[in-house]
Amino acid sequence: YDNDKEPVDAYIVKSNPIKLRCQARPALQIFFKCNGEWVHQSQHMSQEHTDLTTGLKIREVMINVSRQQVEDFHGPEDYWCLCVAWSHLGTSKSRKATVRIAYLRKNFEQDPQGTEVPLNGMIVLHCRPPEGVPVAEVDWLKNEENLSFDDGNIMEKKGDHNLIISEARLSDSGNYTCVASNIVAKRRSATATVIVYVNGGWSSWTDWSPCNVRCGRGVQKRSRTCTNPAPLNGGAFCEGMSVQKSTCNTVCPVDGGWGEWSEWSACSSDCERQRSRECTAPEPKHGGRLCDGVAVATENCTGGLCTQNRKLLHDAKPQGVENSSDVALYSGLAAGVVTVVLLIVAVTLYRRSQSEYGVDVIDSSALTGGFQSFSFKTSRQANPLLINSSMQPDLTVSRTYTSPMCFQDSIDKELMAERSLLDPLPDLKVKAFTVSSGVTERAEYHVMSHPQTFPRGLAPDYRGVAVGTTLGRRGKNLFSPHVSLTPRLPLHRATAVFGHAGGRLVVPNTGISLLVPHGGIAEDTTWEMYMSINQEDSSTASDDGSEIFLSPAVTYGPPGLDLSYPIAMTIAHCAEVAADNWTIRLKRHIQDNKWEEVMSVNEESTSCYCLLEAQKCHVLLEHPGRYALVGEPLNQEAGKRLRLAVFGSPDASNSLGFTLRVYCVDDTPHAFQEVAVGERSRGGRLLEEPKMMLFKANTFSLQVSIQDVPQLLWSIKPFTTCQEFSFSQVWASNQHPLQCAFTLERYSHSSSQLSCKISIRQVTGKEQILQVYTSVVENEKGVVPFFTQSDCTITSQTGSRAFKIPLSIRQRISTTFDTANANGKDWQLLAQKLHIDRNLCYFACQESPSSVILTLWEAQHPDSGDLDSLASALEEISKVHSPKAVSLSCNQFDTLC
């Protein structure tokens, strides 16, 4: 046989038959034998030719094998054939050639899986191709292109077809596909995405910044960035702090001070004597200022000590000369006295001529003390607070202000049948909340009106308060300075005696209240508790001036108060919290002007809880003291709310004069109360409903101008039509009222109406318009006062009347939710449904988390919160089907937080 012409193994693809060939020389006959049986001669195809080189005859025979033949064979081995050749030399057999049906399964036995590896890590992608005959060959694609294995970093393990990249590079990121193929088909695996990521690394620290104070103890910072390298492809951000702070001490400059004057020298021949002093008490150091003033003083001297040509002056002059000198001396003195008298008269006449303009600026420090509750309505027609109600306000920009909570002398708290509310508690299927005598009712607090009264003990005291007068003409400051009273007493105060039943304490008309929960005070124990508002002397809450007060400073006590449960204190603030432009902190007063941070409002804490709302902040506290909300702007978009109002009153010294006073104060009830009390004392009248304005931290000043004054009927004092508050005056006002005044004069008594506009705008910001339309003549019934004299007469409530939730119901709710039940309904779910689900660490550390949650809910809803909302929350909980909740301890919560 010619070895190259023996039959070879073959594969049937689909339904196509294959040909087996056999060639021998010299051969007389050749026949195929398949699976041990001779193939019939008719199925053979033969041909013969002569080898030109050797002259021998070569015979070649072929047979066809079909797919059906192979499928019908069921032997112990694959379908096989061989050929047998005969010649005069004998018989010869060829090798067995197998015939198999070729195929390739569709599904890979193992698809490569996507992975994420760090830079320089190892990438291993596994691939097991589908079963097939013949066995499939495997290739790899990257991003739909054939992967090259020329790079020594990439290798393929042939045995199991794994792709291995020993050191991953960023360029190795991509989509990898395993491709298996044989003579039948080609199959693609699922695509595996490989991401090579880079973990971030810190850059070097920058140099320390200069100390933030020029004198004394301050803070300096240094920073670093996560750019060495920067995180890439989801790599981890750098761990640790990007900013370091360190205390620094800067040597304070010492300004120079003058020492004592020396004795006068002897009178010189020039009729002068001198004395001197030195700048040594103390000497200027570390860049301090030199002493102001002169170091040497000179004055004329007399008394016979002055000589001329070594003779006494009175001896050198003849008698006639002496007499003439005395006459000249007395004449000069007389002329000087006359000049002074004329100057005094002229100044007096000038002041009288200018007094007709009245007062430009009123000292804002006089606007302190308590006053009754008030309410601005959105409609102007029936509002007795306005001088003239014929003109409709702009309701698109006006703002409704309602008085803080006041109490009635008696409120029936047994409005709810316990059965109707508590029957559903075991299964929490709440259907109704408050039913009494078949009628659904609500417990509400109301305001009692007592004309011409102040809250008990809170009547304003104006003794010793200085009132600013006109500051003059062009170039003078047109704004009233802040005058501090010494000593500075609390402006508002409320006290009450509380026991085990707890209660509520309110400082009227300020947005400040205190809720003492039931059980907060031990049994058989009572405490006389108080709340007061203190006006801080400092306008900023930090040494570097970066923080400002956003609320009044509120003190509650007494200092030795011992509580079993935290109290809930509500404080009004003026921050615009719609966007995250502030870092707001709760701080506690230590001493003098020093404050310590209790917590940041948005941080987790187990010692205190803050719930910040748009205009109020509810705080859960355990230790008495003085507290305030302070804020640090994070950008120039941070803003605080201002309340704007315009008041007017006739000029007492000029029957034709009328003064408009424009106030810009922090938008808190307490700040505006100072304005109201001052205006009531002087008979001022509200001319336009107050409006709110957002004042941003962009360092631009606030401009106030008067416009559209009828020129034919009224004149305005020169140089006062546009006035301005500096940015620092408004930004760090710390509840102090800021005001400016416009003094007008009518040309005739027949002009009894005044109409104009007051424009208030922050430079480059939005404008607010206060429309003034009023009568300047008092009618027979007298001036309509600013307030309707509706004051709170009860500032505290004790026992069950202070709470909206009856005690028995509160105890049942607490018992139900303090421990997790089989349905996973615990205090955490209660907090979630009441929207008090932030800082759960704090509640977890309380003896009864549910009770503290309900205390906070009571503080949120002092007069407008419906018990229906609590019932709705309980009904929602009853519909929840969740696995058993895991009750975590305080320490476990601390770990999570």
Side-chain angles (χ1 to χ4, degrees):
Y1 285 100
D2 187 340
N3 292 334
D4 292 337
K5 297 301 180 178
E6 287 186 294
V8 296
D9 297 339
Y11 297 95
I12 295 178
V13 179
K14 298 181 180 180
S15 298
N16 299 320
I18 56 97
K19 293 182 183 294
L20 293 179
R21 299 174 183 270
C22 184
Q23 180 178 293
R25 58 180 176 179
L28 299 175
Q29 292 291 335
I30 299 178
F31 291 97
F32 273 93
K33 194 176 190 178
C34 294
N35 301 319
E37 297 181 357
W38 293 103
V39 179
H40 194 274
Q41 184 176 1
S42 62
Q43 297 178 6
H44 289 73
M45 294 173 286
S46 62
Q47 60 182 6
E48 187 179 69
H49 63 274
T50 302
D51 187 350
L52 299 178
T53 304
T54 61
L56 297 177
K57 289 185 178 181
I58 301 175
R59 179 176 292 274
E60 183 177 14
V61 177
M62 295 180 294
I63 62 171
N64 290 330
V65 179
S66 67
R67 182 184 184 97
Q68 188 65 40
Q69 290 177 280
V70 176
E71 289 179 346
D72 291 343
F73 174 71
H74 300 288
E77 54 185 351
D78 292 333
Y79 190 100
W80 60 269
C81 293
L82 58 81
C83 60
V84 179
W86 288 271
S87 69
H88 64 279
L89 297 177
T91 303
S92 177
K93 293 182 180 180
S94 71
R95 62 178 291 274
K96 285 183 178 182
T98 60
V99 179
R100 304 173 66 185
I101 298 175
Y103 66 91
L104 184 63
R105 306 290 186 196
K106 290 185 178 181
N107 296 326
F108 278 72
E109 295 184 4
Q110 182 179 8
D111 285 309
Q113 301 296 317
T115 183
E116 296 181 1
V117 296
L119 187 67
N120 298 324
M122 177 179 287
I123 301 174
V124 178
L125 298 179
H126 300 278
C127 177
R128 291 175 59 190
E131 179 186 354
V133 175
V135 175
E137 296 182 356
V138 172
D139 294 308
W140 285 90
L141 300 180
K142 177 187 176 185
N143 298 331
E144 302 301 325
E145 295 183 359
N146 290 323
L147 184 63
S148 172
F149 292 90
D150 295 338
D151 189 348
N153 191 41
I154 303 177
M155 55 185 172
E156 182 184 15
K157 193 174 180 180
K158 293 295 183 180
D160 50 12
H161 307 290
N162 293 342
L163 178 66
I164 300 175
I165 302 177
S166 57
E167 292 187 6
R169 299 163 296 190
L170 289 176
S171 59
D172 292 328
S173 297
N175 297 320
Y176 288 81
T177 307
C178 180
V179 179
S181 61
N182 64 7
I183 60 176
V184 177
K186 180 183 291 187
R187 310 293 187 200
R188 292 168 57 97
S189 70
T191 299
T193 301
V194 175
I195 298 176
V196 180
Y197 62 85
V198 179
N199 292 326
W202 288 114
S203 65
S204 300
W205 288 101
T206 61
D207 294 334
W208 287 102
S209 65
C211 202
N212 65 338
V213 296
R214 298 180 57 190
C215 172
R217 185 182 180 88
V219 177
Q220 59 182 168
K221 303 178 183 178
R222 67 173 182 174
S223 62
R224 57 181 178 175
T225 57
C226 190
T227 56
N228 187 32
L232 190 62
N233 294 339
F237 196 80
C238 303
E239 296 183 358
M241 302 297 294
S242 62
V243 177
Q244 276 188 347
K245 295 183 180 181
S246 176
T247 58
C248 53
N249 290 282
T250 306
V251 179
C252 296
V254 178
D255 295 336
W258 289 113
E260 297 292 333
W261 285 102
S262 64
E263 297 293 333
W264 285 105
S265 65
C267 195
S268 68
S269 59
D270 296 329
C271 301
E272 290 182 345
R273 62 175 181 174
Q274 297 181 340
R275 64 174 180 175
S276 62
R277 57 180 178 174
E278 296 182 350
C279 188
T280 57
E283 294 183 359
K285 296 179 181 179
H286 312 303
R289 295 194 301 269
L290 297 175
C291 301
D292 293 332
V294 297
V296 177
T298 303
E299 71 174 11
N300 293 328
C301 52
T302 58
L305 300 178
C306 187
T307 60
Q308 182 178 8
N309 297 328
R310 298 185 180 182
K311 294 183 181 180
L312 293 178
L313 285 177
H314 63 83
D315 292 337
K317 295 179 181 179
Q319 187 65 30
V321 174
E322 181 181 357
N323 293 337
S324 62
S325 177
D326 291 340
V327 172
L329 176 62
Y330 291 120
S331 298
L333 290 175
V337 170
V338 171
T339 302
V340 171
V341 171
L342 292 176
L343 182 59
I344 292 174
V345 171
V347 171
T348 302
L349 293 176
Y350 175 77
R351 288 185 175 178
R352 287 185 178 179
S353 66
Q354 295 296 319
S355 65
E356 62 188 6
Y357 288 110
V359 178
D360 274 324
V361 182
I362 304 301
D363 190 338
S364 63
S365 296
L367 304 179
T368 58
F371 71 104
Q372 70 280 9
S373 63
F374 60 93
S375 176
F376 295 123
K377 307 298 182 181
T378 57
S379 175
R380 213 169 153 181
Q381 290 180 341
N383 192 348
L385 307 183
L386 303 176
I387 291 179
N388 189 304
S389 61
S390 63
M391 194 170 180
Q392 294 297 324
D394 184 0
L395 298 181
T396 63
V397 296
S398 64
R399 181 184 179 91
T400 301
Y401 297 90
T402 58
S403 62
M405 182 188 72
C406 302
F407 301 113
Q408 279 187 328
D409 290 330
S410 63
I411 300 177
D412 183 6
K413 289 300 294 181
E414 302 302 320
L415 296 176
M416 297 174 293
E418 288 190 22
R419 183 176 184 84
S420 64
L421 176 63
L422 288 177
D423 281 349
L425 262 183
D427 297 327
L428 294 176
K429 296 180 180 179
V430 179
K431 298 301 180 184
F433 208 89
T434 61
V435 179
S436 177
S437 303
V439 179
T440 302
E441 299 182 1
R442 296 177 182 175
E444 298 182 353
Y445 300 108
H446 300 279
V447 178
M448 295 188 65
S449 299
H450 295 269
Q452 308 298 335
T453 61
F454 286 89
R456 289 197 295 268
L458 300 179
D461 183 5
Y462 303 108
R463 292 173 295 177
V465 180
V467 179
T469 57
T470 304
L471 296 181
R473 303 173 67 88
R474 184 197 302 261
K476 300 297 183 180
N477 185 2
L478 297 173
F479 302 98
S480 57
H482 303 311
V483 180
S484 61
L485 304 179
T486 306
R488 198 64 183 263
L489 299 177
L491 296 179
H492 308 286
R493 183 182 177 95
T495 62
V497 176
F498 294 104
H500 185 71
R504 193 186 298 265
L505 190 62
V506 173
V507 181
N509 310 311
T510 63
I512 309 298
S513 64
L514 187 75
L515 185 68
V516 182
H518 180 276
I521 299 176
E523 295 186 16
D524 302 326
T525 304
T526 59
W527 287 91
E528 182 178 5
M529 298 181 63
Y530 63 85
M531 284 187 73
S532 61
I533 300 177
N534 298 77
Q535 193 70 60
E536 295 304 313
D537 293 332
S538 173
S539 61
T540 58
S542 58
D543 294 337
D544 58 2
S546 60
E547 294 180 329
I548 63 170
F549 286 96
L550 297 176
S551 76
V554 181
T555 302
Y556 88 90
L561 181 63
D562 184 17
L563 296 173
S564 302
Y565 296 104
I567 59 95
M569 183 167 67
T570 299
I571 308 176
H573 66 83
C574 63
E576 177 63 26
V577 296
D580 297 332
N581 297 322
W582 285 96
T583 296
I584 299 179
R585 300 179 177 91
L586 178 70
K587 288 198 172 185
R588 187 171 188 266
H589 183 261
I590 306 176
Q591 61 181 4
D592 298 331
N593 289 329
K594 301 296 183 181
W595 293 78
E596 66 176 357
E597 180 177 342
V598 179
M599 71 171 295
S600 178
V601 170
N602 294 323
E603 291 180 353
E604 304 285 334
S605 173
T606 57
S607 61
C608 180
Y609 189 97
C610 286
L611 179 60
L612 187 67
E613 295 180 345
Q615 297 183 2
K616 295 182 293 183
C617 184
H618 307 285
V619 187
L620 295 177
L621 298 169
E622 300 179 8
H623 303 290
R626 185 188 303 178
Y627 296 88
L629 288 176
V630 302
E632 179 179 2
L634 300 178
N635 50 55
Q636 291 190 352
E637 293 301 314
K640 71 172 188 174
R641 303 186 311 276
L642 298 180
R643 200 181 299 187
L644 315 173
V646 56
F647 297 82
S649 60
D651 194 336
S653 61
N654 181 9
S655 61
L656 297 176
F658 194 82
T659 301
L660 300 177
R661 289 175 296 277
V662 182
Y663 292 89
C664 303
V665 299
D666 289 354
D667 187 23
T668 61
H670 162 254
F672 198 72
Q673 188 175 14
E674 290 192 299
V675 174
V677 172
E679 285 298 321
R680 173 190 286 178
S681 66
R682 66 164 66 121
R685 299 175 290 177
L686 178 66
L687 305 184
E688 169 67 353
E689 294 193 17
K691 294 184 179 180
M692 192 275 286
M693 177 179 183
L694 187 62
F695 188 80
K696 293 188 177 182
N698 53 20
T699 71
F700 291 113
S701 59
L702 190 70
Q703 290 182 347
V704 183
S705 60
I706 185 170
Q707 303 172 359
D708 299 341
V709 178
Q711 300 295 324
L712 299 178
L713 303 177
W714 291 84
S715 65
I716 185 170
K717 189 172 181 179
F719 312 114
T720 63
T721 56
C722 183
Q723 305 178 27
E724 188 169 351
F725 292 111
S726 67
F727 173 81
S728 59
Q729 279 181 293
V730 184
W731 187 247
S733 59
N734 189 26
Q735 316 296 319
H736 289 284
L738 298 176
Q739 70 160 109
C740 60
F742 300 98
T743 302
L744 300 96
E745 182 180 357
R746 48 187 172 149
Y747 292 121
S748 171
H749 286 282
S750 61
S751 302
S752 61
Q753 299 293 323
L754 171 62
S755 64
C756 62
K757 292 181 181 179
I758 303 296
S759 169
I760 305 173
R761 63 186 295 267
Q762 188 176 12
V763 176
T764 73
K766 295 182 179 179
E767 180 183 40
Q768 278 284 26
I769 298 293
L770 298 178
Q771 180 70 52
V772 176
Y773 184 79
T774 182
S775 172
V776 298
V777 179
E778 298 181 5
N779 55 33
E780 296 179 357
K781 296 181 181 180
V783 178
V784 177
F786 168 49
F787 288 100
T788 58
Q789 314 297 339
S790 175
D791 283 326
C792 297
T793 59
I794 299 178
T795 61
S796 65
Q797 283 191 328
T798 58
S800 61
R801 301 189 178 196
F803 305 97
K804 298 188 77 65
I805 308 174
L807 177 60
S808 58
I809 297 179
R810 180 188 180 98
Q811 291 174 339
R812 290 283 298 276
I813 295 176
S814 299
T815 302
T816 302
F817 290 103
D818 275 345
T819 56
N821 57 36
N823 295 324
K825 298 166 184 175
D826 62 356
W827 62 266
Q828 300 179 51
L829 186 58
L830 177 64
Q832 177 186 348
K833 294 302 180 182
L834 295 180
H835 309 291
I836 311 176
D837 53 349
R838 190 186 60 80
N839 193 10
L840 295 182
C841 308
Y842 177 82
F843 299 112
C845 294
Q846 302 299 319
E847 180 179 349
S848 175
S850 300
S851 294
V852 179
I853 291 171
L854 294 178
T855 298
L856 186 57
W857 183 89
E858 290 268 9
Q860 282 186 278
H861 306 88
D863 53 356
S864 61
D866 289 333
L867 287 174
D868 296 340
S869 63
L870 181 59
S872 298
L874 295 177
E875 187 171 4
E876 288 183 19
I877 294 175
S878 69
K879 299 177 182 178
V880 173
H881 299 284
S882 59
K884 183 175 181 179
V886 179
S887 180
L888 300 180
S889 66
C890 179
N891 292 333
Q892 290 171 320
F893 259 102
D894 281 341
T895 302
L896 294 177
C897 295

